[in-house]
Each structure stands twice: as structure tokens, then as C-alpha cells.
Amino acid sequence: MEKPFISECGETMDLAGLLEEHGDHLLRLCTLYLGDRSQAEDAVQDTFLRALRAWPGFRGDCAVETWLVRIAINVCKRQLRSPWRLLRAPQESLDSLRMEGPEPPDDTLVRAIQALPPKYREVIILYYYQEWKAWEIAQRLHVPVSTVTVRLSRARGLLRERLKGWYYEQE
């Protein structure tokens, strides 16, 4: 019988070590992608469960971090397509229920990023928040580098329009 925690390339999986090393990065990524901390926590948990199940087939063609990020992005995309997501209360309804207290941080930029189409949101998150180079993003998303740079450019243009008057000078 095959040992479940050894990959095809002979690497042994240390789940606790992976959680410690990559958990926070994946949580930030999923939170930005989904726009909801509790859904992001679920996505990270699902990511590690999927990684655990798929570990025996991991060939080591890429870094473990790359592999986990790809799984996390796929989990987030699946959650965004889920019909359960449609049953959530709109943010405006939740905002009206807030209690008095300290002023929450300005989330204008985060909301603008979350409002981007998924292909643009993805490259913005990976470039600015994960601090990956365009060629690394291209490799991990399985697209040409030129596609990544075009998506980044278009995403920046969309953000510039949405943030006009908030960050960018009004023209």
C-alpha cells in the first residue's frame, strides 16, 4: 500500500509545517478574493484538505507554495460560483446593522479590487499582495506573460476609474 503523505517526487508532507508557513498568505489571498473573512477561512481549510488528498500525486514540477495558491484560487472560484453565495445578505444591509464604536478602517480600495472581474482581481492580488513577478503569475496561471501584463494594465485602469477622487486626482 502506498504511503499517503509521500508525493510522487518523494517529498514528505508536513501538514502542520505547511499550515504554519503558508496559512496566513493563503488566508489573505482568499479574503481578498472572496471579500469575506469567514468564507476565506473555509476556503483555506478546503485548500488544505484538497492538498492533503492530492499530495500523493504532487510531482514537484513547481514549488509547494505555487501548488497551494493554485488550489486556493480554484477553491475561491468554486465558492464564487456556488448558488449558496447568492443567499448572502447584501453588504449594504449588513452595514446598516453596525453598532456604534470605533471607526472601521477605510476599505474603499479592497472593495474596488473585489469589484474587478475575476481575471483582473486575480492578477492584482498576486502581483501586489503576494508580490509575485509577472512571469511567476503567468507560470502559475498557465497563461503567457503578455496576458498577465495586459490584465494588470487593464485592472489598474479600472481601479483608477473607480478610485477617482478617493486616491487619484480628479481630472
Side-chain angles (χ1 to χ4, degrees):
M1 183 173 167
E2 223 176 42
K3 292 185 180 180
F5 297 112
I6 298 181
S7 69
E8 280 184 14
C9 64
E11 201 170 324
T12 304
M13 178 184 226
D14 173 19
L15 187 58
L18 289 177
L19 277 166
E20 181 70 29
E21 188 175 345
H22 303 291
D24 289 341
H25 290 274
L26 292 176
L27 183 59
R28 278 195 303 274
L29 173 78
C30 292
T31 301
L32 285 167
Y33 212 94
L34 297 170
D36 182 83
R37 172 80 181 212
S38 63
Q39 286 185 352
E41 289 169 351
D42 290 343
V44 171
Q45 184 177 20
D46 195 18
T47 297
F48 281 107
L49 286 172
R50 288 172 185 260
L52 184 63
R53 283 189 217 114
W55 186 257
F58 179 65
R59 296 184 310 267
D61 294 341
C62 61
V64 173
E65 179 188 17
T66 302
W67 184 65
L68 289 172
V69 166
R70 185 73 248 161
I71 294 171
I73 288 171
N74 288 338
V75 167
C76 289
K77 284 180 178 181
R78 195 175 113 257
Q79 278 191 13
L80 289 172
R81 286 191 306 264
S82 170
W84 286 104
R85 186 162 173 87
L86 300 175
L87 298 176
R88 284 186 58 210
Q91 186 64 40
E92 295 76 29
S93 301
L94 297 174
D95 287 342
S96 68
L97 299 175
R98 291 189 186 207
M99 298 177 64
E100 293 299 318
E103 188 67 28
D106 187 0
D107 63 348
T108 305
L109 178 61
V110 173
R111 286 184 186 228
I113 291 170
Q114 290 169 350
L116 290 172
K119 65 183 181 182
Y120 298 140
R121 181 179 344 129
E122 189 172 59
V123 295
I124 288 290
I125 290 169
L126 294 175
Y127 187 80
Y128 289 104
Y129 290 90
Q130 294 295 108
E131 298 179 349
W132 289 352
K133 306 281 188 237
W135 66 268
E136 292 173 306
I137 297 169
Q139 182 182 30
R140 290 166 179 155
L141 296 181
H142 307 292
V143 296
V145 176
S146 60
T147 300
V148 171
T149 56
V150 166
R151 287 180 184 176
L152 277 170
S153 176
R154 289 181 182 165
R156 288 179 191 126
L158 289 170
L159 287 172
R160 190 174 293 113
E161 276 301 309
R162 290 184 180 157
L163 298 173
K164 195 176 277 185
W166 177 80
Y167 181 76
Y168 293 99
E169 294 294 325
Q170 295 219 358
E171 296 173 4

